[in-house]
């Protein structure tokens, strides 16, 4: 490999990578769509030029045909009146007109073929253009979706980096721990209280209240007095029970 070839390869490797890194795929695809759309008017203009050539050759063919018919009539008329000199002149002009007609017909044939090919090329181009534009638009939509997803990912990453998740979980754990500790203290406090003694005191108060009501009823003459043995035993037993519970406490 020559030094010049190696130098060109070096330049391509350096500047090619730099250009590739500077290229924006989205902008390039949008530019490709614009170029594809811009080619349609140019192609229509070229096809119109070919069609105009076909129309001109068709007119030329009709003129040559008309001239051939006219000269043929003149040759026949000159022969009928025995004017061979005029017939010869018209015959030479007729031969030239027939040659022009043949040339015009050949040119018209080639022009018509070129016009049909141009129409086929346009049809293929339009189909390929629609396909490329659809692919480019889909790629652009995918690019926008990827850009949106990247933004969401950045937000989520920043959310995690900021420590919000960690702080949130930590605060929940602290609150749950404090709640469990308070519940445990409540259970311990309830266990330390002599609930049996409290129940006995409540029963004693109910008995005293019942005795007071009974005394009021006796004073009002609503209820007959009960036997003394039974009435005296109940307060004594209740008092003894309360005394034992207080001593135990």
């Amino acid at each position: 490999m020559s030094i010049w070839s190696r130098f060109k390869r070096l330049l391509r490797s350096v500047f090619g990578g730099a250009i590739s890194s500077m290229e924006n795929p989205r902008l390039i695809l949008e530019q490709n769509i614009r170029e594809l759309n811009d080619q349609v008017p140019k192609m229509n203009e070229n096809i119109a030029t070919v069609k105009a050539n076909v129309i001109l050759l068709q007119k030329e063919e009709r003129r040559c045909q008309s001239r051939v018919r006219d000269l043929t009539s003149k040759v026949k008329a000159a022969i009928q009146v025995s004017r061979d000199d005029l017939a010869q002149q018209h015959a030479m002009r007729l031969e030239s007109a027939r040659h022009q007609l043949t040339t015009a017909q050949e040119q018209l044939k080639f022009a018509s073929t070129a016009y049909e090919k141009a129409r086929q090329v346009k049809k293929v181009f339009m189909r390929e253009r629609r396909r490329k534009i659809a692919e480019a638009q889909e790629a652009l939509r995918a690019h926008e979706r990827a850009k949106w997803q990247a933004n969401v990912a950045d937000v989520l990453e920043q959310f995690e980096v900021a420590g919000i998740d960690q702080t949130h979980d930590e605060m929940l754990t602290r609150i749950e721990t404090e709640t469990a500790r308070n519940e445990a203290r409540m259970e311990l406090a309830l266990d330390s209280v002599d609930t049996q003694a409290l129940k006995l005191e409540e029963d004693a108060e109910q008995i005293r209240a019942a005795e007071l009501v009974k005394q009021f009823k006796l004073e009002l003459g609503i209820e007959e007095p009960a036997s003394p043995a039974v009435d005296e035993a109940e307060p004594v037993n209740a008092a003894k029970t309360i005394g034992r519970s207080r001593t135990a406490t």
Side-chain angles (χ1 to χ4, degrees), residues 6-7 12-13 25 37 42 44 54 58 67 69 100 131 145 160 172 179 182 187 196 202-203 217 234 242 245:
R6 294 172 62 185
F7 180 71
R12 286 196 302 268
S13 64
N37 291 328
K42 296 178 181 179
N44 290 334
V54 171
Q58 288 174 347
R67 188 178 180 187
R69 287 193 298 268
Q100 292 177 358
R131 184 182 67 82
R145 290 194 298 269
E160 293 177 357
L172 287 178
T179 302
N182 291 333
E187 291 180 358
Q196 185 176 4
E202 291 178 357
D203 293 341
K217 287 182 178 180
E234 290 180 356
I242 295 173
S245 63

Side-chain angles (χ1 to χ4, degrees), residues 6-249:
R6 294 172 62 185
F7 180 71
K8 289 193 296 183
R9 187 178 64 177
L10 176 62
L11 292 178
R12 286 196 302 268
S13 64
V14 174
F15 293 102
I19 294 173
S20 178
S21 62
M22 291 187 295
E23 288 178 343
N24 189 329
R26 182 178 63 83
L27 297 178
I28 292 176
L29 284 177
E30 291 177 351
Q31 180 62 28
N32 289 342
I33 293 175
R34 287 192 293 269
E35 290 179 357
L36 288 171
N37 291 328
D38 292 341
Q39 288 181 13
V40 175
K42 296 178 181 179
M43 181 169 289
N44 290 334
E45 184 178 355
N46 293 332
I47 293 176
T49 301
V50 176
K51 180 62 176 178
N53 189 30
V54 171
I55 294 173
L56 291 176
L57 290 173
Q58 288 174 347
K59 292 181 179 179
E60 180 67 19
E61 181 187 24
R62 288 193 292 270
R63 284 196 298 268
C64 291
Q65 289 175 348
S66 177
R67 188 178 180 187
V68 167
R69 287 193 298 268
D70 182 60
L71 290 173
T72 301
S73 299
K74 288 181 179 180
V75 170
K76 291 180 179 179
I79 291 174
Q80 288 176 358
V81 296
S82 300
R83 292 291 306 272
D84 292 344
D85 55 340
L86 291 177
Q88 290 175 1
Q89 292 178 4
H90 292 315
M92 294 298 296
R93 294 170 60 188
L94 176 60
E95 184 179 4
S96 177
R98 285 176 176 174
H99 178 71
Q100 292 177 358
L101 175 60
T102 301
T103 303
Q105 288 176 343
E106 290 178 354
Q107 292 177 351
L108 177 60
K109 180 179 178 181
F110 290 131
S112 299
T113 302
Y115 175 67
E116 291 299 325
K117 288 183 178 180
R119 291 182 58 189
Q120 293 296 326
V121 169
K122 180 185 177 181
K123 186 182 296 184
V124 173
F125 170 78
M126 295 300 291
R127 182 171 61 249
E128 189 68 13
R129 167 182 165 272
R130 287 191 295 269
R131 184 182 67 82
K132 288 184 178 297
I133 289 178
E135 290 178 350
Q137 290 175 346
E138 179 59 29
L140 291 174
R141 286 191 292 268
H143 176 74
E144 292 298 326
R145 290 194 298 269
K147 184 178 179 181
W148 176 80
Q149 292 171 354
N151 293 333
V152 173
D154 291 340
V155 172
L156 293 177
E157 289 176 356
Q158 293 174 2
F159 183 78
E160 293 177 357
V161 170
I164 297 178
D165 281 345
Q166 183 177 1
T167 305
H168 180 76
D169 295 338
E170 183 180 353
M171 292 301 104
L172 287 178
T173 303
R174 290 176 61 180
I175 290 175
E176 292 174 354
T177 303
E178 184 176 356
T179 302
R181 184 167 55 251
N182 291 333
E183 291 178 354
R185 289 179 61 191
M186 177 63 70
E187 291 180 358
L188 292 174
L190 291 175
D191 291 340
S192 64
V193 176
D194 190 354
T195 56
Q196 185 176 4
L198 293 176
K199 182 67 170 58
L200 290 175
E201 290 181 359
E202 291 178 357
D203 293 341
E205 289 180 357
Q206 291 179 358
I207 292 172
R208 290 172 57 191
E211 288 296 327
L212 291 174
V213 172
K214 185 181 293 185
Q215 290 178 3
F216 278 107
K217 287 182 178 180
L218 289 173
E219 292 176 358
L220 296 174
I222 298 174
E223 185 176 352
E224 293 295 331
S227 60
V230 176
D231 293 339
E232 293 177 356
E234 290 180 356
V236 172
N237 292 332
K240 289 181 178 181
T241 304
I242 295 173
R244 285 196 300 269
S245 63
R246 290 181 177 175
T247 304
T249 304

